[in-house]
Each structure stands twice: as structure tokens, then as C-alpha cells.
């Protein structure tokens, strides 16, 4: 990715971020349906120079097409498990909760982003959804494979995972070759057609993947929005800025 011109650098691209729709409590309100997301996602986009816009789950592919026609980049955020039926499997005993409205919405968003070659970043569940949208599959319960639950976080929030970047590519240009990342997942990408693995941890778990070609389409399994780890957000915003500048 070339350095932006002064005119390009002045552009603040709009980044759409997928959200939950769940019952929530705030103030005097209890169990109210709400469209919500941890603020760290939007703050990370803003710090990278983008303008974040939340994309709550809507009920049609047409809504996804309209939404993406008005933004410059897409971020598929973390969250709950994906319905295993989306990748042709029965649920594991540890997979008990999913949200079909969000699954459908993000699949529509990713299909439209692929059609429009929109810069896209997936974080945790978001990377897993990118793999599923491409026809891939997931490891439903990682402890069954690696023999421990260390990836799944702690009672206080996140655990730590050591990640090694493999080879060259977009991820290698954005982050260090080796880093310790915040982790909170019990699933992982298994099959990932159209993407190549560019980072793993010591258990061999896929920690980052990216599409070949000149489009920014990157997924990471960890949570860079919670740490001093702006590289992937810088990459997304830079790619979105280039696209916005080309569109005028």
C-alpha cells in the first residue's frame, strides 16, 4: 500500500461496524432490545482516522446493499457463536447460544462487501464469519483439539496468547512478527477457502488470515480493539481512505 497523498490523507473514511441486537439494561430501563457494541471498536476506528458507523442487524440483503453503498470500509466485530448450521454441522454440546438475525445480516454484509471489493476487517467472531461466508468451517470447541481452555479468557476478561506471523502480506506489514495478544474465544477457523493463514499461536490455531490479491480482506482471532495494537485498524482505515479518494 503506497503512502497517501496530502489530499488522500485528509479524507476520513466511514467504517461500518456490525453490532449485536440483544436485551440490555441502562438507567431506569430493564431488558430493552438494544443495538449495541463495546465502544472499543468505534474508538479504535476513530483513533486510526476513520469515522465509525454502527450497522445493527437488519432483515434483508437489500438493506446490506444500501448500507454498504454509503460506507468506505467494513468491520465485522466479535460476539457470540455462529449457528453451526451455517457451515453444515450439528451443534457441539458447548455451542448453545447464537443469534440468527446477526448471522444472516453479517453474511449479507460480507457478500456485498465481496461483490463491491470493500476493505474488510474481521475480529474474533468476525474472522470466523468471514471463513464461513467463504464456504469454510469452524472448530466448534477448541479445548477438544488443543487440550486446554487457555484461549477462552479469564473471569476478569481476556487471557493472553502468543502469536507468530508467518511469511509476508498485509498482516506482516501492519504488526510485529511476534506479539502477545488478548484472547477470548472457544472456537477457531478450520477451513478457510479463498484465504491464506498468515499467523498462528503455539497450539497451531489460526490467528490471522487474509485474502490474496489487492483487496484489504483481513481477519484476526484476537481482540486488538482492547489493546495498544492499532496496526490492523490503521490498515483498514488506510485501505478505506484510498477507496474513498478514488470514488471522489
Amino acid at each position: 500500500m503506497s503512502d497517501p497523498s496530502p489530499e488522500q490523507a485528509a479524507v476520513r473514511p466511514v467504517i461500518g461496524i456490525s453490532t449485536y441486537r440483544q436485551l440490555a439494561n441502562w438507567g431506569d430501563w430493564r431488558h430493552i432490545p438494544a443495538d449495541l457494541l463495546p465502544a472499543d471498536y468505534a474508538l479504535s476506528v476513530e483513533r486510526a482516522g476513520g469515522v465509525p458507523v454502527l450497522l445493527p442487524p437488519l432483515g434483508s440483503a437489500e438493506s446490506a446493499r444500501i448500507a454498504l453503498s454509503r460506507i468506505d470500509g467494513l468491520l465485522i466485530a466479535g460476539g457470540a457463536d455462529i449457528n453451526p448450521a451455517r457451515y453444515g454441522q450439528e451443534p457441539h454440546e458447548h455451542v448453545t447460544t447464537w443469534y440468527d438475525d446477526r448471522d444472516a445480516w453479517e453474511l449479507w454484509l460480507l457478500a456485498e462487501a465481496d461483490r463491491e471489493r470493500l476493505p474488510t476487517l474481521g475480529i474474533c467472531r468476525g474472522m470466523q464469519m468471514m471463513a464461513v461466508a467463504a464456504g469454510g468451517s469452524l472448530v466448534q470447541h477448541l479445548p477438544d483439539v488443543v487440550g486446554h481452555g487457555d484461549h477462552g479468557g479469564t473471569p476478569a476478561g481476556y487471557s493472553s496468547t502468543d502469536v507468530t506471523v508467518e511469511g509476508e502480506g498485509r498482516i506482516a506489514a501492519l504488526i510485529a512478527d511476534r506479539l502477545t495478544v488478548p484472547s477470548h474465544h472457544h472456537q477457531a477457523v478450520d477451513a478457510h477457502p479463498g484465504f491464506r493463514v498468515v499467523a498462528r499461536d503455539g497450539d497451531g490455531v489460526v490467528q490471522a488470515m487474509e485474502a490474496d490479491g489487492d483487496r484489504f480482506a483481513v481477519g484476526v482471532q484476537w481482540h486488538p480493539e482492547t489493546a495498544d495494537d492499532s496496526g490492523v485498524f490503521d490498515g483498514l482505515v488506510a485501505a478505506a481512505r484510498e477507496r474513498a479518494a478514488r470514488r471522489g
Side-chain angles (χ1 to χ4, degrees), residues 2-14:
S2 60
D3 292 334
S5 67
E7 293 79 11
Q8 289 175 324
V11 174
R12 295 189 66 198
V14 177

Side-chain angles (χ1 to χ4, degrees), residues 23-234:
L23 298 179
N25 303 325
W26 70 95
D28 293 332
W29 303 100
R30 294 292 180 270
H31 305 299
I32 303 298
D35 299 321
L36 57 99
L37 194 71
D40 285 334
Y41 290 99
L43 290 170
S44 294
V45 168
E46 186 178 20
R47 282 193 293 266
V51 176
V53 173
L54 300 188
L55 302 176
L58 302 179
S60 70
E62 176 68 4
S63 296
R65 185 191 67 78
I66 293 169
L68 266 60
S69 72
R70 289 161 168 79
I71 65 175
D72 305 305
L74 176 65
L75 196 168
I76 303 295
D81 293 342
I82 299 164
N83 186 340
R86 298 285 182 180
Y87 47 95
Q89 295 182 14
E90 293 295 320
H92 185 282
E93 62 179 330
H94 288 281
V95 178
T96 60
T97 302
W98 54 81
Y99 299 92
D100 286 323
D101 60 341
R102 185 175 177 189
D103 288 354
W105 175 237
E106 290 179 342
L107 288 171
W108 287 325
L109 288 173
L110 287 168
E112 183 64 20
D114 187 57
R115 191 178 73 83
E116 291 293 329
R117 299 186 58 76
L118 197 72
T120 299
L121 171 64
I123 291 178
C124 197
R125 166 202 163 91
M127 182 177 83
Q128 296 169 8
M129 184 58 84
M130 290 172 74
V132 170
S137 61
L138 306 182
V139 176
Q140 287 199 45
H141 192 57
L142 197 52
D144 289 350
V145 176
V146 300
H148 61 79
D150 293 351
H151 296 86
T154 70
Y158 296 91
S159 52
S160 295
T161 299
D162 293 328
V163 170
T164 300
V165 177
E166 302 175 342
E168 299 180 351
R170 294 186 182 277
I171 284 287
L174 295 171
I175 63 175
D177 292 343
R178 297 177 183 273
L179 65 166
T180 300
V181 300
S183 176
H184 197 293
H185 63 102
H186 80 108
Q187 299 191 321
V189 167
D190 187 8
H192 44 84
F195 293 91
R196 61 190 182 93
V197 175
V198 292
R200 296 183 187 270
D201 61 28
D203 293 312
V205 175
V206 177
Q207 287 288 336
M209 66 183 195
E210 59 189 53
D212 291 323
D214 59 1
R215 176 188 168 212
F216 186 98
V218 169
V220 297
Q221 183 58 67
W222 67 89
H223 284 270
E225 79 282 1
T226 70
D228 184 16
D229 180 16
S230 64
V232 293
F233 292 99
D234 292 340

